[in-house]
Amino acid sequence: MIQTATRVAVAKYDDLAIRAGYAVKLEDQEIVLFKLTTGEVRAIENRSPHPKGNRLAEGLVSGEYVFCPLYDWKISLIDGKVQAPDKGQVKTFEVEIADGNVYLVF
Amino acid sequence: MNKKKLVMIGNGMAGVRTIEEILKANPDEFEIKIFGKEPHPNYNRIKLSTLLQGDTSFDDIIMNPLKWYEENSIQLYMGETAIKIDTDKKIIVTDQGRTVEYDELIIATGSDSFILPIPGADKQGVTGFRDIHDCEMMINVSRTYKKAAVIGGGLLGLEAARGLLNLGMEVNIVHLMPDLMERQLDPTASSMLKKELEAQGMNFLMEKQTVEILGDERVTGLRFKDGSEVEADLVVMAIGIKANAEIARQSGVYVNRGIVVNDFMETNVANIYAVGECAEHREIVYGLVAPLYEQARVLANRLCGKETAPYEGSVTGTGLKVSGVDLFSAGEILDDASTKSIKVHNEFDGVYKKIVIRDNRIVGIVLYGDTKDSTKLFRMLMKKEDVSGMTSVAILQSENSGDEESNIASMPNDELVCGCNGVTKGTIVEAIKTQGLTTVDQISGCTNAGRSCGRCKPLVGKILAHTLGDSFDSDLQKTSLCSCTSLTRDEVVEEIKAKGLTNIKEVMYVLDWKNEEGCTKCRPALNYYLGMIYMDGYKEDRDSRLVNEKMHANIQKDGTYSVVPRMYGGVTNAQDLKKIAEVAEKYDVPLVKLTGGQRIGLFGVKKEDLPQMWEELGMPSGYAYGKTLRTVKTCVGAQFCRYGTQDSMALGIELEKKFERIDTPHKVKMGVSACPRNCAEAGIKDIGFVGIDGGWEIYVAGNGGVDLRAGELLCTVKTQEDVMEMTGAYLQYYRETASYLERTSKWLDRLGLEHIQKVLANEETRKALNERMDKTLQRYNEPWNEAIQSKDIQQKYYPKENTFVGSDSK
Ligand code: SRM
Ligand SMILES: Cc1cc2nc3c(=O)[nH]c(=O)nc-3n(C[C@H](O)[C@H](O)[C@H](O)COP(=O)(O)OP(=O)(O)OC[C@H]3O[C@@H](n4cnc5c(N)ncnc54)[C@H](O)[C@@H]3O)c2cc1C
Ligand code: SF4
Ligand code: FES
């Protein structure tokens, strides 16, 4: 079987504000983009793994982590892992930036 | 080496404790397999009451997570029921058709709720109270139905009832006997308990025998023997438990009320043991963990071939896990011809104590309302201490009436601290010293103290503090801002001033922060301190604020927000009410509610609707989300009320208009009443004003939240100007000296009322404080209006979610 990668343009790079979340919905997946202080863009599933967790878009961003706005879990924007003492993981998505556009790659 | 095969049926508290003890004694002796009917790893069943009462989450009650089984190479068959034991072939068979061989077999199947064998007991909505499944069912039912009946007024029944009340149900408790908890309490204590629980909202139907459960498919009510009926959409049976011994009985293991075991937990069949609530020892089946854990230790030693004292039975002590109720009971609670008892009944304070004595030894204890002495008395009971030389006062009065420090010091080493797990003070102290422990959780991990009902945790904490002595205290005093730095609040503020640091990035860089961009503790705190120091020059960092302040709206559990417009002094008018009504209708707001702060809240608003709604409301933000002035609650006062001596509404409105939006370390609430009847509850506000003839009393440091605290009189002043001046100075002094997130009540306790009074007594100081306050106040803009005006703010913080469907291939 041949695997084909698809990519979807979801935002203009310049529209993303540093350390703020930008939520997008792709089919029925909720994804949030964060532009780090370094200018890199990361994409993760827009839902905290906390049992009562909800969207992450409004969380506080520090370095390569985002803190869940409702319950303060610290989540890595690199591998999606929740940091100790809490546990869990969110999905991460590959991001590509080209011609001023931000793409999600599948 | 060929390991022996150890199989256990039942994955509950007693069984898994046995395995833990085995692993401690001899980690490599067995290859262990555990079968558990429930689809969960071992959890703390005791905490189901707390779970139902909404005070803990499922994750928090797991005692042995799956990782524990893995790490100890235990094969766990979760959600799999053992159905047969073949004692000849030494195998067990499960409901999934699996057969497993054993060399040694532990039966630890616990018990089931006893369900009354009456017509209708199988209807939907009838349940016991035993496992997670039961709790989930009750929680679900409470979402759609309102009427609950609990059959049984014992420990379990009352804990279930409290949980159902917390879930918003009306609760009837049906009890067969004339007294609640009659096995643990005497009639006096029992009636005190009943009164308290009635005050909490429970309704009791005493001396009622349920004969039928009514309804078609679903329960609709109960019928009693006397012909009366009561409505119910949910029926919880909490009349007792029944040892889960069927599998043993069918396999030829001798069963009476439980699986009969000897003093080493051995059944009549070779290589088969029983432990926990399914076991019957010397004709007793225990239903509390303390004795079961003793059994577990004996059985573990036996299996590991270690010398062990036999298990000779236990005396148990119990409490009730319902907040507002403090009771303890142990041993024989009713008098007979051979006993004499000491009783103290202080009706005024709601305290009752009864000590039952036979042959100069304590044989029973009932304490209600004050259980401080329970550990001491229980120790005397267990050790059969001779009390003939003691006066009744000495028996009842704990050495614990002195100060905390000497209490812990004078506590004997063999005094039981954790009743559930049989852990003494000596064991805890030794663990702290030899293993260098510094937290209560670590102590639980090492000694098991606190791992069951959790009642002993405060005491464990005190022993920890006492044992660590100075090192503990000094640690507490020098708490750093957060884990990103070792500097304290005061040190950070000093450094900012001394080095002239002007923004968060600079602070973190110059002061060597461990995490380059900080965390949710230090970012908001630094943002506050900088704003406090640089009164007019500071450009705040909105992204360093926590979600509510960043969004200028309270986030709710589902990610929606609430909108609470300002309503100065709780006073509104028809025009504003109309606007609120129109906006609520237009945006289909799910909940419109009067808040506890005298204004109207619109709850459940979508993020992207916020700016538009604010615009249409045309009212300023009420800052219901801010670390700032929240509301100034007022009474109607002299303008209308016959008792009013002052214009409370006018003062309230003036205060709210002046101090709204000012950043403070934590939220600040005010209240203004026009006479000492105090209808605006000024006595539990951060700052409260009470009108008296010819002046105002100013109360400070009240709190109506987590640690309820009455305000204290700061001073009495004559005019409204005096009030404004004193309030400005007080608030500014709080702003300059409190730690971020320190409420005024804690702050005042830390600094002392007298100290603050002295500072504010000086007119020069007050003037300077007020100048700094006024300068700071000038820098604020109305945030909702700002959002309406700015496309950038709207795009960054309140964007619509973008949906994509198309994709291009690469
Ligand atoms: C809306 C309101 C409840 C209501 O429906 O009436 C409310 C709602 C919240 N309160 Fe409250 N409190 C409300 C009046 C109170 C009161 C009563 C009062 O102010 O007279 C108290 C006790 C009085 C006091 O503070 O001394 C109160 C004590 C708390 C506390 C405990 C504070 C403490 O120091 O112990 C918190 C937690 C915190 O602030 O850290 C809290 C936190 C909260 C938060 C903001 C929780 C959060 O962070 O998400 C709630 C937001 C709910 C939402 O969906 O928007 N709320 N809260 C009330 C808003 C009043 C207003 O108009 O602004
Ligand atoms: C709501 C509530 C509150 C309580 N509060 C307190 C308290 O405050 N203090 C206190 O000391 N005690 C309290 N208890 C009692 C305490 O929880 C029990 O004494 C303790 O859990 C008993 O342990 P056990 O291992 O014998 O049984 P359990 O913990 O019930 O474990 C038995 C396990 O075996 C499983 N099982 C049964 N049959 C099979 C089979 N054939 N195959 C596979 N698995 C099987 C069951 O599903 C169960 O998971 C409370 C109990 C409840 C329900
Ligand atoms: S506090 Fe006094 S003036 Fe105000 S409403 Fe109550 S009784 Fe009237
Ligand atoms: S007394 Fe129950 S856990 Fe310690």
Side-chain angles (χ1 to χ4, degrees), chain B residues 48-55 129 138-139 142 148-150 152-173 193-204 234 236 238 320-325:
Chain B
L48 289 180
S49 301
T50 328
L51 184 76
L52 193 67
Q53 290 172 24
D55 296 331
F129 183 22
M138 289 188 241
I139 292 169
S142 75
V150 174
L155 279 170
L156 271 188
L158 298 178
E159 288 180 6
R162 182 64 251 180
L164 295 169
L165 277 184
N166 288 11
L167 289 169
M169 299 192 80
E170 292 160 30
V171 186
N172 280 307
I173 295 136
L193 173 66
K194 181 154 168 261
K195 240 189 237 140
E196 164 65 29
L197 295 176
E198 277 167 344
Q200 294 192 8
M202 298 186 194
N203 185 42
F204 292 97
L234 170 71
V236 180
L320 179 69
K321 301 187 296 297
V322 169
S323 64
V325 176

Side-chain angles (χ1 to χ4, degrees), chain A residues 5 7-10 17 19-20 22-25 27 30 37 51 54-55 58-59 62-63 67 69-70 72 96, chain B residues 59 517-520 523 543-544 547 550 555-559 561 607 796 801-808 810:
Chain A
R7 60 178 204 172
V8 188
V10 288
R19 302 182 59 229
Y22 185 86
V24 297
K25 204 167 181 178
E27 248 101 62
E30 299 209 31
T37 313
N54 211 292
R55 289 201 294 271
E58 293 102 302
S62 163
F67 290 83
L70 285 166
D72 208 28
E96 238 177 60
Chain B
D59 285 343
E517 295 192 8
C519 69
T520 43
R523 285 202 84 97
D543 292 326
S544 288
V547 58
K550 177 164 80 180
I555 194 167
Q556 294 161 348
K557 64 177 194 178
D558 63 352
Y561 287 86
K607 171 166 85 176
K796 179 164 176 190
E801 197 168 343
N802 291 294
T803 306
F804 299 89
V805 271
S807 58
D808 48 88
K810 156 174 115 151

Side-chain angles (χ1 to χ4, degrees), chain B residues 388-407:
Chain B
S388 55
M390 296 172 87
T391 63
S392 58
V393 177
I395 294 178
L396 275 175
Q397 205 173 49
S398 46
E399 46 250 47
N400 296 3
S401 33
D403 68 302
E404 206 103 90
E405 193 55 29
S406 60
N407 286 341

Side-chain angles (χ1 to χ4, degrees), chain B residues 9-16 35-38 42-49 80-83 108-112 129-131 155-156 159 241 244 247 275-278 286-292 317-319 321 420 452-453 455:
Chain B
I9 307 178
N11 184 35
M13 296 184 75
V16 173
F35 291 84
K37 190 157 71 176
E38 293 183 75
N42 179 39
Y43 60 90
N44 189 342
R45 195 171 303 282
I46 298 178
K47 294 268 181 185
L48 289 180
S49 301
E80 190 161 339
T81 309
I83 48 170
T109 44
S111 38
D112 287 333
F129 183 22
R130 180 72 198 171
D131 53 27
L155 279 170
L156 271 188
E159 288 180 6
I241 51 176
N244 207 337
I247 185 170
V275 67
E277 285 188 351
C278 62
Y286 292 96
L288 292 168
V289 295
L292 307 183
T318 47
K321 301 187 296 297
C420 290
S452 306
C453 74
R455 196 165 36 211

Side-chain angles (χ1 to χ4, degrees), chain B residues 404-418:
Chain B
E404 206 103 90
E405 193 55 29
S406 60
N407 286 341
I408 304 285
S410 67
M411 191 173 172
N413 266 335
D414 63 351
E415 183 153 322
L416 202 55
V417 172
C418 175

Side-chain angles (χ1 to χ4, degrees), chain B residues 559-606:
Chain B
T560 62
Y561 287 86
S562 63
V563 170
V564 184
R566 200 50 94 184
M567 207 171 259
Y568 297 96
V571 178
T572 182
N573 56 47
Q575 211 185 352
D576 281 352
L577 290 174
K578 264 193 214 153
K579 269 196 274 181
I580 293 176
E582 276 159 13
V583 168
E585 202 168 55
K586 173 163 171 198
Y587 290 90
D588 215 0
V589 170
L591 175 74
V592 183
K593 170 176 189 306
L594 300 186
T595 71
Q598 282 191 338
R599 44 209 190 154
I600 297 178
L602 306 174
F603 296 82
V605 173
K606 286 195 233 43

